[in-house]
Amino acid sequence: MRGLTPLLAIGLGLILFPASDAAAQVGKQSTLWTWTSGAPHHDAIVQVSLKGAIGTGIVIDVAKDKPVGEGFEGLCATAYHVVEPDEGKREIEVLYRNGKVAERALLLDFDKQRDLALLWVWVPKGIEPVKCAEKAVRPGDQVEIAGLGGGSKLDCCLRHFSSAASAPTNSDVILCDVALLPGDSGGPVFNADHEVAGVISGGWFWWDGGIQTDHGYPIQVTWPAKACNVSAIQQLHGKVPGWYRRRK
């Protein structure tokens, strides 16, 4: 993949995607990705929507002692640039794989430098959070990346593929020699134990990888995949549980 010539180099590829009716895993036939099998931990992945654009997110906490209607209070991690335009208006919507929708999600805390945000959100019954990893991803570790790139539908066509952390990976950032699509932003990086070890932010280089939507429109891919490492999630998560559990 490193031999490909990028069409455009930018400091950070911010990868959102307009809402669409795509009905397949976009890029499924491409050799750019090594696809993984569907698994229970994928059920905690969500679609995060704001102002007509979508990104991905992952439920990392559910307060079973704080019921709200047919669900509970919870926390969802996503990329900060996915929700930054909200500016406190609470127009963020979170869609779950069972079709339930949480409106007016609250941007609870964020780390702009590492492009990470936590949302306070209603989580429907039946959605279980995925545990955050205790140890950071290291170079050479095998990981799984999941997202809604290219407008893939959450209920049937979530993108999930394997990779390995590249040598520049450190305690703050995970880099993987694999491409991403618009819409993968905010998607989780899972470790070998299916724990959340990072959150996707984007890539540096864009090029035409021959990928198309279900409707035949070309989509550029970005490489390499960049994500915050788990330390950023641990720090934000550690600051907020007492606050959101006390909400009435």
Side-chain angles (χ1 to χ4, degrees):
M1 188 175 298
R2 289 190 178 91
L4 295 174
T5 301
L7 296 180
L8 176 65
I10 59 176
L12 174 65
L14 303 183
I15 46 177
L16 300 174
F17 196 81
S20 77
D21 58 353
Q25 288 173 307
V26 177
K28 184 67 173 181
Q29 306 305 319
S30 173
T31 58
L32 290 176
W33 297 282
T34 300
W35 298 87
T36 57
S37 300
H41 60 282
H42 296 157
D43 290 342
I45 296 170
V46 300
Q47 175 182 295
V48 180
S49 303
L50 177 63
K51 300 183 183 298
I54 65 168
T56 311
I58 181 73
V59 177
I60 61 169
D61 199 355
V62 175
K64 295 293 182 69
D65 59 335
K66 296 293 290 184
V68 179
E70 294 298 315
F72 308 93
E73 295 184 16
L75 290 178
C76 172
T78 187
Y80 175 58
H81 75 263
V82 171
V83 294
E84 181 180 11
D86 188 57
E87 299 178 339
K89 297 177 182 177
R90 296 194 65 177
E91 296 176 345
I92 303 166
E93 289 190 354
V94 175
L95 172 66
Y96 296 91
R97 298 198 76 190
N98 60 9
K100 303 290 185 180
V101 178
E103 299 178 341
R104 293 179 54 79
L106 174 66
L107 176 55
L108 194 59
D109 204 352
F110 62 89
D111 183 332
K112 186 173 183 178
Q113 181 176 356
R114 292 187 281 189
D115 196 22
L116 175 68
L118 286 187
L119 305 178
W120 176 79
V121 66
W122 172 78
V123 180
K125 292 180 180 179
I127 301 295
E128 296 297 327
V130 178
K131 178 183 177 182
C132 289
E134 295 182 0
K135 297 181 180 180
V137 171
R138 296 181 178 182
D141 286 354
Q142 292 295 311
V143 297
E144 180 189 40
I145 295 171
L148 295 169
S152 299
K153 279 194 171 182
L154 181 65
D155 57 351
C156 67
C157 310
L158 179 72
R159 288 163 40 83
H160 38 87
F161 44 91
S162 63
S163 187
S166 303
T169 294
N170 57 44
S171 59
D172 285 327
V173 65
I174 301 169
L175 292 170
C176 294
D177 186 11
V178 70
L180 298 172
L181 291 176
D184 285 333
S185 281
V189 177
F190 296 111
N191 63 17
D193 294 322
H194 299 160
E195 299 168 331
V196 179
V199 171
I200 287 291
S201 57
W204 273 286
F205 305 102
W206 293 87
W207 77 88
D208 181 2
I211 308 302
Q212 296 182 338
T213 68
D214 279 1
H215 303 294
Y217 299 114
I219 312 172
Q220 286 193 327
V221 300
T222 184
W223 168 91
K226 179 183 178 183
C228 67
N229 216 323
V230 72
S231 60
I233 306 173
Q234 292 169 338
Q235 289 171 13
L236 286 191
H237 192 199
K239 290 166 57 178
V240 299
W243 183 88
Y244 89 87
R245 289 174 190 271
R246 289 195 297 269
R247 286 183 61 90
K248 296 182 180 180

